[in-house]
Amino acid sequence: MAYTISDLQYLMARLRNPETGCPWDLKQTFTSVVPHTLEEVYELVDAIEQGDSDQIRQELGDVLFQIVFYSQLAAESAQFSFAEVVDGIVAKLLRRHPHVFPSGELNSERKIDAPADETIKARWEEIKQQEREQKSQHSAMDDVPQALPGLTRASKLQKRAAQQGFDWQELQQVISAFRAEIDELEEAIGAANPKQIADEMGDVLFSAVNVARHLNLDAEAVTRGACAKFERRFRFVEQRCEETGVIAAKGQHNSQMELFWNEAKAAGL
């Protein structure tokens, strides 16, 4: 017999039972669970990028458990229930997909061909703007979460500004702006001003995200890819050092390690 979502909710309630539950689970709050949620989501992303379907299935279960956990905490304090969470997301998705559910009802169907992607995207943003206005959020920046990873938040802020017409039109303009930020960073370094250096370094990273966005690239994803590439190549360097007896002196440039690094690049790692 396969377990169901109801079984998972029952299990969660048992874990939170004040008399017979798990001491660790009973200590948790919304705030204390957040780090675990972030970790589970990143583990899911990693499984997806690895293409491991069995691991994806397991990590999806872990993420689902986080949602059930929060819902249980909320139900205990009479804030909302898991059913209300489900109802809310279904209602929102019905509202945001009029090209699929024309009457806004779950059983309604479109009788004509789907509109063009750009039309769908424009309507999606229009609906989201209406939702922001209903929440008394009048700035395009209002609901971009502060807790997002820096690169992701930068991209979202830039997209919001672009929707308001505040954006470069040509890729070359974006790249020129990126180079200008690097020049300003070099000037700050030359002035030996720590605060200014940090400020300009932030501008360089923000501008790099803008370049990625104009290339239709996800800055967070390409950065993870760069990290994975660096890790592969450095592991190769470590292996070659061990094979050849090269000893790296900490804090000093090692020309032999650089040669090994180039070997890794030549090997396509």
Side-chain angles (χ1 to χ4, degrees), residues 18 30 47 109 124 132 177 180 205 257:
F30 277 101
E109 293 186 6
W124 176 277
R132 284 194 287 271
L205 294 173
M257 292 181 76

Side-chain angles (χ1 to χ4, degrees), residues 6-20:
S6 296
D7 294 322
L8 181 57
Q9 289 177 271
Y10 173 73
L11 182 149
M12 185 71 251
R14 288 285 305 276
L15 291 175
R16 290 281 299 178
N17 185 298
E19 297 180 358
T20 61

Side-chain angles (χ1 to χ4, degrees), residues 167-186:
D167 196 12
W168 298 111
Q169 298 303 305
E170 302 294 334
L171 176 62
Q172 191 55 51
Q173 294 175 308
V174 184
I175 293 175
S176 294
F178 178 49
R179 288 181 177 140
E181 295 296 352
I182 294 175
D183 290 341
E184 291 178 11
L185 173 61
E186 290 180 335

Side-chain angles (χ1 to χ4, degrees), residues 72-179:
Q72 176 64 30
L73 292 173
E76 291 171 5
S77 55
Q79 296 179 61
F80 57 81
S81 66
F82 180 77
E84 290 175 293
V85 172
V86 174
D87 178 73
I89 186 60
V90 171
K92 181 166 69 174
L93 292 176
L94 286 173
R95 185 170 63 250
R96 291 186 179 180
H97 291 80
H99 53 287
V100 179
F101 308 98
S103 73
E105 300 295 329
L106 196 56
N107 60 356
S108 63
E109 293 186 6
R110 186 181 66 241
K111 303 299 183 183
I112 58 176
D113 291 340
D117 288 351
E118 285 304 312
T119 301
I120 292 173
K121 183 178 179 181
R123 180 56 179 153
W124 176 277
E125 292 301 334
E126 180 184 332
I127 293 169
K128 289 179 69 176
Q129 180 58 35
Q130 291 171 355
E131 292 172 355
R132 284 194 287 271
E133 290 173 358
Q134 290 172 359
K135 297 176 182 177
S136 298
Q137 296 174 334
H138 301 295
S139 171
M141 306 284 113
D142 276 346
D143 62 344
V144 181
Q146 294 281 347
L148 283 174
L151 298 180
T152 299
R153 189 163 195 272
S155 182
K156 282 188 174 292
L157 291 172
Q158 291 165 5
K159 287 177 182 177
R160 290 289 181 83
Q163 289 163 10
Q164 305 300 313
F166 188 76
D167 196 12
W168 298 111
Q169 298 303 305
E170 302 294 334
L171 176 62
Q172 191 55 51
Q173 294 175 308
V174 184
I175 293 175
S176 294
F178 178 49
R179 288 181 177 140

